[in-house]
Amino acid sequence: MADLDRVEELPELADLVLAIVDQVPEGFVTTYGDVAAVAGTGPRQVGAVMSQYGSLAAWWRVLRADGRPPQGHEDEAVAFYREEDTPMRNGRVDLRRARHTLHSIEDVGPA
């Protein structure tokens, strides 16, 4: 994963994806597909961005459409879900209760 001290300029797609992920508040999640729809790209491209630059955002808040946490980071992600009181059910995030509605970056405005 990327180290903030070593990243000088993000590729445009990475910058966009991370800005979208930054919309997701504590205790909520989104899916790769949700982020992709707002970014105008595909879920695999979002996954690639998160794989390379996810450490610059709350990576655990982006998960698969079935509620499973990011592959290879399940234990760490579940610890974050518990810390943030993210609704879970049967070892997965309960998307019905925890899914955050994303907006285009233009709709969000400056932070």
Side-chain angles (χ1 to χ4, degrees):
M1 292 200 185
D3 182 332
L4 185 56
D5 296 332
R6 294 184 295 168
V7 175
E8 294 179 18
E9 187 174 328
L10 293 174
E12 188 175 330
L13 179 60
D15 191 44
L16 177 60
V17 165
L18 296 178
I20 294 166
V21 172
D22 281 344
Q23 292 181 42
V24 183
E26 284 189 21
F28 291 88
V29 297
T30 190
T31 67
Y32 293 102
D34 292 344
V35 174
V38 173
T41 192
R44 289 181 187 258
Q45 288 76 15
V46 171
V49 167
M50 294 305 292
S51 175
Q52 189 165 3
Y53 301 102
S55 65
L56 301 176
W59 57 266
W60 59 92
R61 295 183 189 148
V62 182
L63 40 76
R64 298 176 233 180
D66 64 2
R68 289 184 293 158
Q71 189 172 358
H73 301 280
E74 294 88 351
D75 292 342
E76 190 176 0
V78 168
F80 279 117
Y81 302 147
R82 288 184 179 137
E83 182 179 317
E84 295 183 354
D85 292 323
T86 304
M88 296 189 70
R89 183 176 170 187
N90 300 323
R92 296 179 186 205
V93 171
D94 183 348
L95 287 174
R96 187 181 56 77
R97 294 181 13 213
R99 193 177 218 155
H100 180 72
T101 301
L102 297 171
H103 303 280
S104 71
I105 295 305
E106 294 81 29
D107 293 342
V108 175

